[in-house]
Amino acid sequence: MPAPFPPPDLPSGDTDVLVTLVVDELTRLLTQDTARRPADPVDTAAEARRHALLRLRVLAGVKQTVRHLEDQAAHAAAESGAGYPEIGRAVSMSRQGARRRWPGLITNNTDHSTRPTPRSS
């Protein structure tokens, strides 16, 4: 049985280590068919290159998938009332960085019921 996920308040350094281990294991599993070792050193070099390129392709796919999941989470946060400052802090970027990363995410139609309404003079 797999270990339970770490609590959300896990220090970011520990999270980084755990994510690295999980992604490395996933990559190993997805490239497992290339573990064969040919006898000829020339073939070994070619196989090592092929395996490295396959690993790179898998990691690029993981990166794209994580980015998509990050987009979904940002949209969910905005729909639940989070603003660019909060979203930016969640991904270690400024409000402006979050606004550039997800333009149009926060609109005037978003419910801001927890924020005070400015008064006109």
Side-chain angles (χ1 to χ4, degrees):
M1 180 175 193
F5 285 102
D9 60 348
L10 193 66
S12 71
D14 292 343
T15 301
D16 294 346
V17 170
L18 288 172
V19 169
T20 299
L21 290 171
V22 168
V23 171
D24 191 52
E25 178 65 10
L26 174 65
T27 304
R28 188 189 66 73
L29 290 171
L30 292 174
T31 60
Q32 186 171 333
D33 68 321
T34 63
R36 299 180 303 270
R37 295 182 182 254
D40 185 7
V42 174
D43 290 338
T44 301
E47 183 66 18
R49 182 175 59 249
R50 188 178 80 75
H51 185 265
L53 291 170
L54 179 59
R55 180 174 164 78
L56 183 60
R57 184 181 323 142
V58 168
L59 288 169
V62 168
K63 181 179 173 181
Q64 183 178 10
T65 300
V66 168
R67 187 135 174 135
H68 178 72
L69 292 170
E70 187 180 52
D71 291 347
Q72 288 178 337
H75 281 87
E79 287 172 2
S80 66
Y84 281 118
E86 293 171 291
I87 292 170
R89 278 192 303 274
V91 293
S92 300
M93 66 173 58
S94 67
R95 174 190 59 81
Q96 294 89 347
R99 186 180 297 254
R100 279 192 291 270
R101 171 73 171 80
W102 294 286
L105 184 65
I106 311 298
T107 65
N108 291 335
N109 296 335
T110 305
D111 180 21
H112 298 290
S113 58
T114 59
R115 297 185 186 164
T117 306
R119 297 180 188 193
S120 59
S121 307

